[in-house]
Amino acid sequence: MNELTQGGNLPLPGGTLTLRVAGPFDVSALITDESGKVGGDADFVFYNQPTAPGARLRGDTLTVDPGRLRAGAARVTIAVSPAAPGTPLGRLPAPTLQVTDPGGRPLTRFTPPRPQRETVLLLAELYRRGTGWKLRALGQGYADGLAGVARDFGVDLAEDSTPGTASAPARGAGAAKPGTPRSPGAAGSTMTPRTPGAVTGVGNPATAARAPGPRSAPDPTGFLALANSARTDAGRPPVSLDPRLTSAAQAHVAGMAAAGQLGAESRDGVSVYQRVVQAGYSYLTIGEHLVSGPRSPAGFVEYCLRTEQPRRTLLERAFTHAGLAQAVDPRSGDIYWTALWARPLTAGNLARTAEEVVESTNAERARAGLRALAVDPLLAAAAQAHSTDMVARAFYSHTSPDGSQPWDRAAAAGSRRRTIGENIACGQRSPAQVVEGWMNSPGHRANILKPDFTHIGIGFAGGGQMGTYWTQLFGA
């Protein structure tokens, strides 16, 4: 498989190409003509507008058939942004673009130089050259989000002059707005699992055993009845309002309204996930809707039901609790909403999540003809401690702020294994997703498929900027 470097290009075969960026990112694409400008808003493909002629986005995967693009299309630019809006890309693993040909065979991959403060990266572009198409590796960053990218490519961000209503939301309000990615709980708003770690120390199995059970709260707005009616119609179990989630939602939406901007992180640097943990709710699974525009709870629910990813979050079967809050921007009069959906953490479901990571890992080893790894409680303790530490001290690295390495942490937990390996990840939404991401990275894959390893331990913690932090510790 060809490895591209920044500025490199590669001729492409005819037919449908698959472009994937695994990890805590949102993928988008802009279809432009020879002038480098879009023909209209329909040429911007992202999570709330996932299709265009010749292009389709599903999760982290974009498929493009150059021969079926709209008339006049000469270029498709692929961009990535953090799944948690406003997070600098420098806090995340470097995004890697993987391209496969129409037959499903790997064609090329490209990992750009590691970004820093940028919040959007133009990763690559497909461009027409004569009668054929080529791929060029870019790696160009933007610090002002998708709004800056959209403006440069000619996407119209102007809002309607009339405030949005439930039946006809203004662009950028109830409707998706390129400049405010992840408006109503866009791709990745369902984060599974997210076990809490920071602030209260939750994420420790001993603490999880004491996680409070369901709590109810009054529903003066009628939101709960609306949400549960939709869930019942879809065959999903009802949720109950939890005052801790409502409190976290109120704190977060107040910050968004004060800033006049949607985002998973407020100006004070506190993420919506941290607010949930600070409110005392210990969660295994969490999702969020961050929306501006609807004028009532009915309008909010109506918007979520007619938009693909927000609908998935509202109807997610795993959720058992919810919280909703709204606030008004005093300058513009815009109404901001935060809805939180969660399932509480227990010792049992925490253990099951770790088991699922082990099962997926061993399935990959079995496909490679390798023996299964056995769970080592000491490695598990070290892995859990590292995930919790990354949340508590706001870092993401194999090296702790005190300089300790994976083998140091294993030894501190009492392990005497001579060979230690470690994989870490952040932002992934399920055991299957995190293992898939590791398998798509050569270094992480090498650890999973190393024949010498015999034992494994899993840790993860929720909170922090990315919502979930995973550690996979191997030993021999």
Side-chain angles (χ1 to χ4, degrees), residues 205 208-209 211-212 282 284 344-351:
S282 306
L284 178 72
L345 180 72
T346 67
N349 58 29
L350 177 64

Side-chain angles (χ1 to χ4, degrees), residues 212-218 224 239-249 276 279-282 320-324 340 342 344:
R215 298 170 63 185
S216 61
L224 183 65
V239 296
S240 61
L241 288 180
D242 188 285
R244 295 162 296 181
L245 294 180
T246 300
S247 174
V276 173
Y281 190 100
S282 306
T320 57
H321 296 103
L324 178 74
L340 296 171

Side-chain angles (χ1 to χ4, degrees), residues 13 56 121 139 191:
R56 183 176 183 85
L121 195 66
M191 307 295 287

Side-chain angles (χ1 to χ4, degrees), residues 376-449:
D376 182 329
L378 298 178
L379 293 180
Q384 181 62 51
H386 188 55
S387 287
T388 302
D389 192 33
M390 286 192 288
V391 170
R393 292 201 276 180
F395 73 99
Y396 177 74
S397 175
H398 294 289
T399 304
S400 299
D402 59 11
S404 63
Q405 301 289 339
W407 40 91
D408 301 318
R409 294 189 288 270
S415 174
R416 296 185 178 181
R417 301 198 179 278
R418 296 183 178 182
T419 303
I420 295 292
E422 182 180 81
N423 288 342
I424 58 175
C426 63
Q428 284 75 14
R429 306 164 194 175
S430 69
Q433 188 184 51
V434 74
V435 174
E436 181 183 12
W438 281 327
M439 288 297 293
N440 287 324
S441 169
H444 299 94
R445 178 187 178 94
N447 272 342
I448 288 175
L449 300 183

